[in-house]
Amino acid sequence: MAIFYRVRSLNYVSKCFSSINALYLQSPIRRFYSEQATSHFESVGFVGLGNMGSRMANNLIKAGYRVAVHDINCNAMKKFSDMGVATKETPLEVAEASDVVITMLPSSSHVYDVYTGPNGLLRGGELRPWLLIDSSTIDPQTSRKLSLAVSNCTLKEKRDYARKPAMLDAPVSGGVLAAEAGTLTFMVGGSEEAYLAAKSLFLSMGKNTVFCGGPGNGSAAKICNNLAMAISMLGVSESLALGQSLGISASTLTRVLNSSSGRCWSSDSYNPVPGVMEGVPSSRNYDGGFASKLMAKDLNLGATSAKEVGLKCPLTSQAQEIYTELCEDGHETEDFSCVFRHHYSGKNET
């Protein structure tokens, strides 16, 4: 009964967000809101200057935005201060200098602390930025809690285009190379008018944006995408390793897969067998790319979310076990395609 009630409660919260968003979309100020708000992004704050965040912030600077940054890593901040970019000691100081703040952080706990901590973005409940965007990969429940917390805050200065602050969850796909090149895909949850207003920002850092619905739906889309990516990589790796054992070269079997119904991103764009494809992590001893520890983290998010809504996901559970074991065996920093070598004992193409 408790589990059933929990599932019903989560579904009810999700439906409430969808209903509120649907009513808001019918508002006559929608178009005015998005068009006017877009022109008020002169000052952009960025919190989290890791491999992804530093490149995203750099693309905003290249696009002409006035950017202020913060990171707990002083060396990361120094790189920006040496470029003449304003650096701030706390997330709160970033918020006080910005019209919009973007966060790109490692986990749900980091995001929650940056938003609600002693020197967090929401301290005092009265905000200068009218829009907060979180591009971290976190669980949908945390995204929805923070969206609700933001909606309960007020703006220091009311605008014609925004009477209350808004939040978007906008995780990305594409990895470090796409962050560098400005070709990321953003999966966005929140109100559609806030999404439309922020689209120019997204397109300064990426090439695709997909509006996924209400609060938390961007986060949900990201963990579902990565879940599918992990499972497809395992399937392709298993197929290619079996093919090698049966006497078929990985190159030959890859050509079969890519001209048949087995074709997928893991086979034609990110092949896990060293020597089959150039320019992918498997061609450089699984260096760079998307670390196995990050895939394990995302699978944990997917498995937890599935459990909370009472959905059985056996393939997710199996993938979670495999990547957890891979990390425990010392391969956590290698690209997630290394599962071909370390789990399936696949061989290099010669």
Side-chain angles (χ1 to χ4, degrees):
M1 178 64 74
I3 294 175
F4 179 68
Y5 179 77
R6 171 67 172 160
V7 172
R8 287 189 62 190
S9 298
L10 285 168
N11 288 337
Y12 176 74
V13 170
S14 181
K15 287 177 180 177
C16 285
F17 274 120
S18 297
S19 298
I20 292 169
N21 194 41
L23 287 172
Y24 200 48
L25 292 181
Q26 298 170 14
S27 167
I29 67 166
R30 174 186 172 190
R31 181 173 297 176
F32 178 79
Y33 178 101
S34 60
E35 291 177 352
Q36 294 297 312
T38 299
S39 64
H40 291 79
F41 281 146
E42 289 90 352
S43 301
V44 180
F46 208 106
V47 179
L49 303 173
N51 288 333
M52 294 293 291
S54 61
R55 290 163 170 81
M56 292 165 69
N58 196 47
N59 282 329
L60 289 171
I61 295 165
K62 289 178 182 177
Y65 292 102
R66 187 168 68 249
V67 177
V69 301
H70 168 74
D71 195 280
I72 57 173
N73 184 333
C74 295
N75 291 330
M77 286 218 290
K78 187 177 185 304
K79 291 179 183 178
F80 281 87
S81 64
D82 288 347
M83 294 164 52
V85 176
T87 57
K88 303 295 181 181
E89 293 298 316
T90 66
L92 177 62
E93 289 183 17
V94 171
E96 290 172 340
S98 307
D99 300 312
V100 56
V101 177
I102 302 170
T103 50
M104 186 55 149
L105 301 160
S107 69
S108 298
S109 60
H110 290 96
V111 176
Y112 205 79
D113 184 60
V114 163
Y115 271 75
T116 66
N119 289 300
L121 300 173
L122 306 186
R123 181 181 171 183
E126 193 176 46
L127 312 181
R128 176 191 164 179
W130 71 270
L131 181 59
L132 302 173
I133 301 172
D134 180 42
S135 287
S136 316
T137 298
I138 64 173
D139 63 280
Q141 293 79 13
T142 297
S143 293
R144 287 168 181 152
K145 286 178 185 176
L146 289 174
S147 179
L148 188 60
V150 170
S151 69
N152 287 330
C153 294
T154 59
L155 287 173
K156 287 184 178 180
E157 297 179 10
K158 300 291 189 297
R159 282 92 157 173
D160 290 336
Y161 53 86
R163 297 294 177 178
K164 294 191 70 176
M167 180 182 177
L168 295 171
D169 47 284
V172 301
S173 180
V176 172
L177 292 178
E180 179 82 37
T183 57
L184 293 167
T185 291
F186 286 83
M187 295 154 266
V188 189
S191 73
E192 190 170 2
E193 42 287 316
Y195 159 73
L196 292 172
K199 200 166 183 180
S200 61
L201 277 176
F202 294 139
L203 293 178
S204 295
M205 300 176 284
K207 66 175 182 179
N208 295 309
T209 65
V210 181
F211 179 65
C212 301
N217 282 15
S219 295
K222 176 59 189 288
I223 62 174
C224 290
N225 177 77
N226 281 21
L227 179 159
M229 184 169 70
I231 292 170
S232 70
M233 179 57 74
L234 291 174
V236 168
S237 296
E238 191 168 294
S239 171
L240 292 169
L242 176 60
Q244 287 182 335
S245 298
L246 295 174
I248 309 172
S249 73
S251 294
T252 298
L253 187 51
T254 293
R255 288 200 300 274
V256 172
L257 290 174
N258 291 343
S259 58
S260 306
S261 56
R263 182 178 186 176
C264 64
W265 181 81
S266 295
S267 68
D268 73 0
S269 299
Y270 213 82
N271 198 283
V273 183
V276 170
M277 185 178 292
E278 295 182 358
V280 294
S282 63
S283 71
R284 49 180 185 268
N285 203 32
Y286 300 106
D287 184 41
F290 188 66
S292 293
K293 65 181 179 181
L294 296 179
M295 180 56 81
K297 171 206 143 187
D298 291 355
L299 287 166
N300 289 337
L301 291 175
T304 300
S305 294
K307 185 177 181 180
E308 287 183 338
V309 297
L311 183 67
K312 292 182 179 179
C313 293
L315 295 181
T316 300
S317 299
Q318 185 67 40
Q320 182 186 22
E321 289 178 14
I322 290 172
Y323 276 101
T324 298
E325 181 181 332
L326 205 63
C327 293
E328 290 173 348
D329 288 344
H331 308 296
E332 68 274 8
T333 61
E334 294 177 42
D335 180 75
F336 79 109
S337 62
C338 75
V339 71
F340 170 79
R341 174 184 288 173
H342 301 304
H343 182 76
Y344 291 106
S345 301
K347 301 175 181 63
N348 293 7
E349 188 76 352
T350 56

